[in-house]
Structures are given as structure tokens and as C-alpha cells.
């Protein structure tokens, strides 16, 4: 029988290096151990009884495939680790009207689960669907939720029925589960609590009116649009402790909802984004790992040797090495590697480890360059200060603006970040649906007052009037078109400064998030150009930084020779 301590020991062994794991799995385990110790400081608690209750439920959940069919599932330690995270961590339930803690009949604070969204990415044949079917049954009939609605969703009804059918077969093969649940072709139900578990297809138009307690999205990588995920997320508002669980292997589509959620997962795990409601674990190879070295395979296959056979992996690897056509399938499905995906350009551990900048009165003595990226009028605008020290090191400060009316059009998890950053003063909201250039101009002038300003660089695209307005205030404005010529050396210089620990910044969380969004396109001549990690990602801050750095490199504003034509300089 699995115990909470099995999951805790798994985390400890992963962090200690006793279990081979990729960096994302290690970070997930370290996050768990840190939260066990430090979570109460921010209102996050671990309830061992709740965690064990979920594990105990699996004593009555049988295998439905293979030679162990009918026997109770013996949870693997990595399964246990996921379950105790999802069901063990709790927070105090807050009344949204009063802002006060909700109390039970005894006057004690009501505790609810911490995690509302979970992402589990692992290679095929590691029993992730089996684990998820058990989660679905638990939340249907053992979670003390009246009228629970649980759904398994996928791109097709047949795909959605994989998790559902496994759950139904579990009931058929378990005497206890038969007493808890009834079922028919497309429905599992518990009459006592009026709860149900059903499969859903990806036709989002038919998903309205749901009141979801748990949504399980199978093979998230296959979803071409975000419709299903968004509908499920928005249908949990009436529940006090809902869960949306995405399970998947790697895929190809970097523009889809899966890679977007994966990208967000890596930011949460690496500490770029703080989100106590989001659980993530990713089992894959590390960058630079040899995919043909079988000692690396357990990183993507935590069930290798238990529910997945070594000889089958070796057979598939041999085929993939010999047949190019089979290689992509092996890499994505069995090593959980996103093919044709680009990794984050910045070493975020080094970026986040940078020291904070000096007080304003000390910075005013240093030459300053400012980079502006207005993007477009309905998106984030950024202004980045770059001061240069006498030894060539730099200090960086950031400001960001966003039209308040655009928050609701952003994906839910990004909209929540915007609100959080705005409340904390890191993101300034302008009225309406369109960015207020006049407000930015006035605040920018005030922001650089008293500084040793050399130049304000900007991309001329959609910003000509803004630049002319700054010129009218006597500011030294220069056009810096977003071309390889202008940004490549600036990116390389920034990269070198970070690696050499010769950059300090203000640790604005908006900038940290955007920096982690940057991927690097390299051309045949070795030139760099910044691109977004996903279509929903923003990189306005880093682009503003590169704009300022491009002018710093050539000594713009100091009378030094410049690589720019005279026609580039507006004043």
C-alpha cells in the first residue's frame, strides 16, 4: 500500500540524485520539499491525512489491462508523488465578498485544495491514463463534493473515452467500486451525491453550461485550439476546490495550447512565475542528452522496468536509428522530446541570480540609454533603462504599460499574471482598450529626469508620432528598426553580460517572465534574432533592452562613430 512517505522519499531521492531525472522533475520535487517546510509562511499547508485518503482509494482501483488485470494498482513512487501534491496541499478558503476566512460550525477555518490546475507530461506507456482514471473516480465519488461533475475531454470522443473507459472497467472489476458507482455506456454516476463522470469531445460549442469539479484533458498536445481547455477552466467558477488536469506526451505544435501550458509550467518550476495554484511535472531528457544512451531513458520514462519494458524501448530505439521515418515518433512518444521546438535563449538561473540595481541617486551619475518597445496599441508597451558602469558592466530597470481593457482578452493564466503584477505596481494599466501614448510619454519624461541620458531608442514601426512628441520635449530620440543588423550584437552582448555576472537588474517579474519567453533564431551567419516562445508569450521588455543595448554598444549620443545612417537619427 502506498503511503505519503513513499512520495516524500521519492522527492528526496530525486533531489539527491539517487533517482535519475531531468531538471524539470528535479525542480518539481524541490518545490514540493520547499513547500513542506516554508509553505505555511504564505498560507500553504500540507494535510497528510487528505493525501493518504487519496492514496488509500487506489487500494480499491484495479488494473484493467495486461497480466495484472483485476489486481489492485500498486502505485509507483512517482504516481504517489503526484497524488500527494494534488490532494495534500491545502489553503484557507476565503469568502470573496468579505475577504475573510470561511469558518466551519466549530469556528475553524475551512481548508480547500491548493492546486486548481495540473500538468503532467510524460512519455507513453507510463500509466498516466491509468493514474488519471483513478483521479476521475476519486473526485466523482470519494471527494465529499455534492453534485460533482467530472469530465474526460479530448480532441475526439474516442480519445476522451480512453480515460473514461478505463475508469468504467475499474468499476467492473472492483466489488467496492461497484457499490460506490453505477454506470452506462457514456456515464458513471453516484446516486448518493448526485455526481457523474462523463467523456466529452472537443466541440467546444457543446460544452456550455458545465459546472466542473474535475476536468481531465487527455493528450493535450493533440488539441489544435485552446477552446476545450478554456471552456473547462471557465466552468469551474462555482466550485471551491476544482481541478483541471492536463496529461500528455510531447508533440510538434508549438503554437497550440499544450506548448503554451508547458511553457507556463517551466516558468512556474524555475521560479520565474509564482503560482501556488498550478502544479506541474515534466519527464523528459535534458538539453544535450544523447537520446540513444539508454541511461537517459528513465528521465522520460519513470515507469521503465515496471509498466514499460526495457526490451521494447531498445527495439524501438534500434528501429528509430535505422529508419529516419520512425525517429520523430520515438523522440516524441517515448523520450517525450518536443521535436522542432526551441528552448529558452536566456539562462534564467543566471538572470534571476543577478544582484539588484543601485539606488537612484547613485545611478544618476552613469550614462543612460533607454529602449522603447511600443509593440502595438492594444498590447504591452515597455521602456527599459540601461546604465553603463565604468568597467563596462550594466544595470537595468524596467517599466511596463497595458490597456486595462485588454486583460480579459488574454488567456486566463496570463490575465491573472497581469492583474497580480498590476496590483503589485509592476505593470501600469492605462484606461480603455488602446495604449495611451500620451501617458507613456509624460511618465517616461518624468522617469528619466535628472539622469545622464544619452539616447532614447525606439522601433519606428507604429511609433512615429510618439517619437516626434518626445522630440518636441527635447529628448534625444533615435530610430532602431528591429532588424538582425540592430539586434544581433545587442543580444550577444546581453548574453555575455549575464554569463559573466556583469549585469544587475531590478527583478521586475514582468521582465523576468518576458526574458524567459525569448527564443533565439540563428541564421547561417550566426546572427541572432529574438522570437517568442509561444504565440501568447510577450517579449517587449527584452526587445526594449536590446534596443537600448544596441545604442550603448556604438556609444550612441556621445559623438562616437555609429553603424547607423544619419537618416536613422531623428534629432
Amino acid at each position: 500500500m502506498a503511503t505519503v512517505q513513499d512520495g516524500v522519499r521519492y522527492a528526496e531521492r530525486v533531489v539527491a540524485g539517487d533517482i535519475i531525472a531531468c531538471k524539470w522533475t528535479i525542480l518539481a520535487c524541490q518545490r514540493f520539499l520547499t513547500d513542506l517546510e516554508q509553505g505555511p509562511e504564505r498560507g500553504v499547508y500540507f494535510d497528510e491525512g487528505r493525501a493518504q485518503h487519496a492514496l488509500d482509494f487506489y487500494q480499491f482501483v484495479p488494473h484493467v489491462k495486461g497480466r495484472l488485470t483485476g489486481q489492485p494498482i500498486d502505485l509507483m513512487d512517482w504516481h504517489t508523488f503526484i497524488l500527494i501534491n494534488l490532494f495534500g496541499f491545502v489553503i484557507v478558503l476565503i469568502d470573496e465578498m468579505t475577504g475573510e476566512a470561511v469558518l466551519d460550525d466549530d469556528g475553524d477555518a475551512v481548508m480547500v485544495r491548493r492546486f486548481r490546475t495540473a500538468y503532467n507530461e510524460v512519455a507513453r506507456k507510463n500509466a498516466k491514463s491509468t493514474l488519471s482514471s483513478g483521479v476521475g473516480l476519486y473526485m466523482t465519488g470519494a471527494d465529499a463534493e455534492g453534485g460533482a461533475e467530472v469530465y474526460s475531454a479530448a480532441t475526439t470522443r474516442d480519445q476522451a473515452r480512453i480515460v473514461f473507459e478505463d475508469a468504467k472497467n475499474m468499476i467492473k472489476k472492483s466489488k467496492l467500486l461497484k457499490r460506490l458507482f453505477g454506470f452506462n455506456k457514456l456515464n458513471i454516476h453516484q446516486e448518493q451525491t448526485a455526481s457523474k463522470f462523463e467523456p466529452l469531445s472537443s466541440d467546444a460549442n457543446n460544452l456550455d453550461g458545465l459546472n466542473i469539479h474535475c476536468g481531465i484533458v487527455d493528450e493535450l498536445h493533440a488539441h489544435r485550439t485552446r477552446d476545450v481547455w478554456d471552456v473547462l477552466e471557465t466552468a469551474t467558477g462555482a466550485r471551491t476546490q476544482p481541478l483541471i488536469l492536463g496529461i500528455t506526451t510531447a508533440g510538434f505544435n508549438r503554437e497550440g495550447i499544450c506548448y503554451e501550458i508547458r511553457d507556463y509550467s517551466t516558468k512556474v518550476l524555475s521560479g520565474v512565475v509564482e503560482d501556488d495554484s498550478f502544479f506541474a511535472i515534466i519527464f523528459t531528457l535534458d538539453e544535450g542528452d544523447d537520446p540513444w544512451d539508454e541511461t537517459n531513458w528513465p528521465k522520460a520514462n519513470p515507469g521503465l522496468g515496471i509498466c514499460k519494458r526495457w526490451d521494447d524501448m531498445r527495439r524501438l530505439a534500434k528501429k528509430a536509428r535505422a529508419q529516419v521515418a520512425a525517429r520523430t515518433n520515438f523522440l516524441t512518444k517515448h523520450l517525450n522530446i518536443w521535436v522542432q521546438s526551441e528552448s529558452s535563449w536566456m539562462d534564467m538561473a543566471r538572470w534571476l541570480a543577478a544582484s539588484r540595481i543601485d539606488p537612484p541617486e547613485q545611478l544618476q551619475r552613469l550614462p543612460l540609454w533607454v529602449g522603447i518597445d511600443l509593440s502595438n496599441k492594444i498590447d504591452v508597451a515597455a521602456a527599459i533603462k540601461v546604465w553603463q558602469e565604468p568597467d563596462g558592466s550594466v544595470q537595468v530597470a524596467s517599466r511596463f504599460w497595458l490597456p486595462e481593457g485588454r486583460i480579459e482578452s488574454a488567456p486566463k493564466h496570463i490575465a491573472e499574471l497581469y492583474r497580480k503584477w498590476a496590483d503589485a505596481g509592476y505593470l501600469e494599466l492605462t484606461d480603455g482598450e488602446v495604449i495611451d501614448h500620451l501617458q507613456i510619454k509624460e511618465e517616461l519624461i518624468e522617469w528619466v529626469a535628472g539622469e545622464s541620458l544619452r539616447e532614447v531608442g525606439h522601433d519606428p514601426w507604429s511609433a512615429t508620432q510618439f517619437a516626434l512628441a518626445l522630440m518636441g520635449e527635447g529628448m534625444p530620440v533615435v530610430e532602431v528598426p528591429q532588424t538582425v543588423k540592430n539586434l544581433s550584437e545587442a543580444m550577444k552582448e546581453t548574453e555575455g553580460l549575464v554569463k559573466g555576472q556583469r549585469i544587475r537588474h531590478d527583478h521586475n517579474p514582468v521582465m523576468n517572465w518576458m526574458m524567459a519567453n525569448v527564443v533565439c533564431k540563428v541564421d547561417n551567419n550566426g546572427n541572432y534574432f529574438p522570437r517568442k516562445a509561444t504565440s501568447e508569450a510577450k517579449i517587449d521588455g527584452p526587445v526594449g533592452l536590446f534596443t537600448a543595448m544596441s545604442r550603448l554598444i556604438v556609444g550612441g549620443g556621445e559623438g562616437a562613430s555609429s553603424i547607423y545612417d544619419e537618416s536613422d537619427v531623428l534629432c
Side-chain angles (χ1 to χ4, degrees), residues 49-61 83 86-88 113 133-150 171 174 176-182 188-197 213-214 239 241:
R50 287 191 179 211
Q52 189 61 51
H53 186 265
L55 298 180
D56 290 344
F57 180 78
Y58 277 83
Q59 295 181 67
F60 311 105
V61 177
L83 290 171
L86 296 184
F87 295 101
R113 279 192 297 273
S133 298
V135 169
L137 287 175
Y138 180 83
M139 296 193 70
T140 303
D143 201 31
E145 180 77 11
E149 293 184 19
V150 177
I171 297 172
S174 168
L176 177 66
L177 294 183
K178 284 181 180 178
R179 294 199 296 268
L180 289 176
F181 302 102
I188 294 170
H189 53 272
Q190 186 182 71
E191 292 186 1
Q192 181 181 358
T193 60
S195 299
K196 66 179 182 179
F197 181 2
H213 180 52
C214 175
R239 303 286 180 174
Q241 50 179 8

Side-chain angles (χ1 to χ4, degrees), residues 61-122:
V61 177
H63 288 279
V64 295
K65 297 175 183 176
R67 62 184 179 82
L68 298 177
T69 297
Q71 298 183 31
I73 290 175
D74 187 9
L75 290 170
M76 289 174 274
D77 287 347
W78 72 277
H79 284 158
T80 301
F81 172 74
I82 291 174
L83 290 171
I84 66 175
N85 267 277
L86 296 184
F87 295 101
F89 281 113
V90 295
I91 57 175
V92 175
L93 177 62
I94 301 298
D95 188 304
E96 292 186 352
M97 298 295 292
T98 66
E100 302 291 332
V102 177
L103 305 180
D104 61 20
D105 294 339
D106 297 324
D108 297 323
V110 174
M111 308 300 290
V112 293
R113 279 192 297 273
R114 160 196 184 181
F115 290 120
R116 305 300 177 86
T117 308
Y119 180 79
N120 176 19
E121 184 186 295
V122 63

Side-chain angles (χ1 to χ4, degrees), residues 465-509:
Q465 293 302 315
F466 177 80
L468 291 173
L470 287 180
M471 289 173 57
E473 300 291 340
M475 297 193 72
V477 180
V478 60
E479 289 186 353
V480 185
Q482 292 181 11
T483 62
V484 170
K485 171 186 174 183
N486 292 340
L487 299 186
S488 180
E489 289 305 313
M491 287 186 71
K492 292 179 179 179
E493 180 68 13
T494 302
E495 185 177 51
L497 289 168
V498 172
K499 289 181 177 179
Q501 298 180 319
R502 299 174 60 238
I503 191 169
R504 289 190 279 161
H505 57 87
D506 58 356
H507 285 267
N508 186 312

Side-chain angles (χ1 to χ4, degrees), residues 181-249:
F181 302 102
F183 61 86
N184 53 46
K185 184 177 180 180
L186 294 175
N187 171 273
I188 294 170
H189 53 272
Q190 186 182 71
E191 292 186 1
Q192 181 181 358
T193 60
S195 299
K196 66 179 182 179
F197 181 2
E198 297 177 345
L200 292 174
S201 65
S202 61
D203 185 356
N205 293 326
N206 294 331
L207 301 183
D208 294 332
L210 303 178
N211 185 2
I212 295 176
H213 180 52
C214 175
I216 301 170
V217 187
D218 195 14
E219 294 300 354
L220 186 58
H221 76 273
H223 288 244
R224 295 183 179 180
T225 70
R226 56 181 307 114
D227 293 345
V228 172
W229 185 270
D230 286 348
V231 169
L232 294 181
E233 271 198 327
T234 55
T236 62
R239 303 286 180 174
T240 58
Q241 50 179 8
L243 175 67
I244 303 298
L245 170 61
I247 57 176
T248 192
T249 56

Side-chain angles (χ1 to χ4, degrees), residues 297-328:
W297 294 349
K299 291 184 178 183
N301 297 275
L304 194 57
I306 303 174
C307 61
K308 187 169 186 175
R309 296 174 60 89
W310 277 97
D311 59 353
D312 193 48
M313 275 290 290
R314 292 177 179 128
R315 176 183 63 82
L316 292 168
K318 182 178 181 180
K319 180 180 179 182
R321 294 195 76 169
Q323 301 178 16
V324 175
R327 192 165 301 165
T328 296

Side-chain angles (χ1 to χ4, degrees), residues 345 480-496 518-531 542-543 545-551 553-554 563-564:
W345 161 71
V480 185
Q482 292 181 11
T483 62
V484 170
K485 171 186 174 183
N486 292 340
L487 299 186
S488 180
E489 289 305 313
M491 287 186 71
K492 292 179 179 179
E493 180 68 13
T494 302
E495 185 177 51
V518 178
V519 296
C520 183
K521 179 181 179 181
V522 183
D523 65 20
N524 293 333
N525 296 317
N527 294 312
Y528 286 9
F529 193 78
R531 297 176 62 182
V543 170
L545 172 59
F546 305 147
T547 299
M549 285 296 301
S550 70
R551 297 308 295 159
I553 290 171
V554 299
I563 63 173
Y564 297 88

